[in-house]
């Protein structure tokens, strides 16, 4: 059972903006940085956003992250067909002493 | 370039054990933790635990305590994850990934190892 809650799905047409929420608690998002991973179909996850709002080199700047209190959000602006994937938020949980992942959100480009 | 490369697929019978390897290259092996994450078919990501290759200390998710063992071989920059008492619901893709000490994010990830548990 995941500790971080995400909507199961999100969708948009090419060029639109899509936002994915991630809800946690004081022991995880409230105290630690949030990271986002993108998993394209049939592939391993890939780091998309780290430390809540930082992008690794090579990640398009249309992906952005934010955090407020015990929630975080990933935004994809200028949606493209290659953005169809599953997206997971994640953070360290100080109470569980474990790394926890969100339930995952499947993004569909209509 | 930085890589973590995993061993190949495994098929095991219920009750058996499986040992998956994760070989690191392109960076100082002892500067990064190695984490293991698994994904059952059609399901989300589940953290299993981590090892510090520098001293060999481990931390396991409570769910896997007593069934998982993570070890490392610094001479070959390889980490191993052994899961015992396999059940059908252990069928999953197992991933390794690295974390620079204290950064709390994983990058890059291995290609994954499919472990199938079937009688």
């Amino acid at each position: 059972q995941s500790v971080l809650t995400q909507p199961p799905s999100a969708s948009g047409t090419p060029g639109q903006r899509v936002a994915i929420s991630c809800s946690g608690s004081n022991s995880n998002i409230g105290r630690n940085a949030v990271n986002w991973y993108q998993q394209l179909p049939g592939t391993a996850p890939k780091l998309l956003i780290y430390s809540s709002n930082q992008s690794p080199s090579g990640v398009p700047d249309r992906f952005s992250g934010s955090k407020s209190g015990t929630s975080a959000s990933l935004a994809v602006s200028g949606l493209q067909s290659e953005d169809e994937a599953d997206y997971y938020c994640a953070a360290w949980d100080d109470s569980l002493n474990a790394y926890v992942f969100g339930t995952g959100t499947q993004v569909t480009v209509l | 370039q930085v890589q973590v490369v995993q061993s190949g697929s495994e098929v095991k019978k219920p009750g058996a054990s499986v040992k998956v390897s994760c070989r690191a290259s392109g960076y100082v092996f002892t500067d990064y933790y190695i984490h293991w994450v698994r994904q059952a078919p059609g399901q989300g990501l589940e953290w299993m635990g981590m090892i510090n290759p520098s001293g060999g200390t481990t931390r396991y998710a409570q769910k896997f305590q007593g069934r998982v063992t993570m070890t490392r071989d610094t001479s070959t920059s390889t980490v191993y994850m052994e899961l015992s008492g396999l059940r059908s619901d252990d069928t999953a893709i197992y991933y390794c990934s690295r974390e620079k000490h204290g950064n709390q994010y994983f990058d890059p990830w291995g290609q994954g190892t499919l472990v199938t548990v079937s009688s």
Side-chain angles (χ1 to χ4, degrees):
Chain A
Q1 186 176 352
S2 297
V3 173
L4 305 181
T5 303
Q6 301 177 231
S9 63
S11 63
T13 56
Q16 276 192 327
R17 180 182 183 276
V18 168
I20 301 168
S21 61
C22 175
S23 178
S25 67
N26 285 326
S27 62
N28 41 66
I29 295 177
R31 291 183 192 174
N32 297 300
V34 178
N35 309 299
W36 290 89
Y37 299 93
Q38 178 192 56
Q39 187 174 31
L40 297 169
T43 69
K46 168 191 160 187
L47 179 67
L48 194 65
I49 297 287
Y50 67 95
S51 298
S52 303
N53 58 13
Q54 301 298 304
S55 299
S57 61
V59 171
D61 59 7
R62 51 202 179 73
F63 291 95
S64 62
S66 63
K67 182 183 108 165
S68 178
T70 59
S71 294
S73 181
L74 172 72
V76 186
S77 58
L79 196 63
Q80 298 185 8
S81 58
E82 59 260 38
D83 299 333
E84 278 207 342
D86 293 327
Y87 294 83
Y88 294 90
C89 59
W92 186 261
D93 190 294
D94 289 343
S95 294
L96 296 174
N97 223 9
Y99 199 74
V100 292
F101 287 95
T103 47
T105 299
Q106 184 176 59
V107 169
T108 302
V109 181
L110 301 171
Chain B
Q1 73 281 24
V2 174
Q3 284 189 98
V4 286
V5 179
Q6 300 179 222
S7 50
S9 298
E10 303 264 11
V11 179
K12 296 292 182 181
K13 294 196 181 303
S17 297
V18 68
K19 193 169 187 177
V20 180
S21 69
C22 172
R23 182 163 188 163
S25 62
Y27 69 95
V28 178
F29 180 59
T30 50
D31 280 355
Y32 291 76
Y33 303 139
I34 293 289
H35 293 257
W36 289 89
V37 175
R38 77 176 187 178
Q39 186 172 37
Q43 302 301 307
L45 303 172
E46 180 176 34
W47 182 78
M48 299 180 68
M50 58 182 283
I51 183 169
N52 181 352
S54 177
T57 54
T58 56
R59 180 176 292 169
Y60 304 137
Q62 188 164 6
K63 175 177 178 176
F64 300 101
Q65 290 274 3
R67 277 213 305 148
V68 70
T69 304
M70 296 177 189
T71 56
R72 94 292 190 211
D73 181 344
T74 55
S75 68
T76 60
S77 299
T78 302
V79 166
Y80 300 91
M81 186 283 297
E82 184 170 23
L83 188 62
S84 62
L86 290 170
R87 307 182 289 255
S88 59
D89 61 359
D90 290 317
T91 294
I93 298 175
Y94 290 76
Y95 295 102
C96 67
S97 187
R98 67 165 198 170
E99 173 208 354
K100 189 160 180 63
H101 297 174
N103 279 358
Q104 298 185 350
Y105 59 85
F106 305 162
D107 180 54
W109 293 57
Q111 82 277 20
T113 297
L114 175 62
V115 175
T116 302
V117 182
S118 174
S119 55

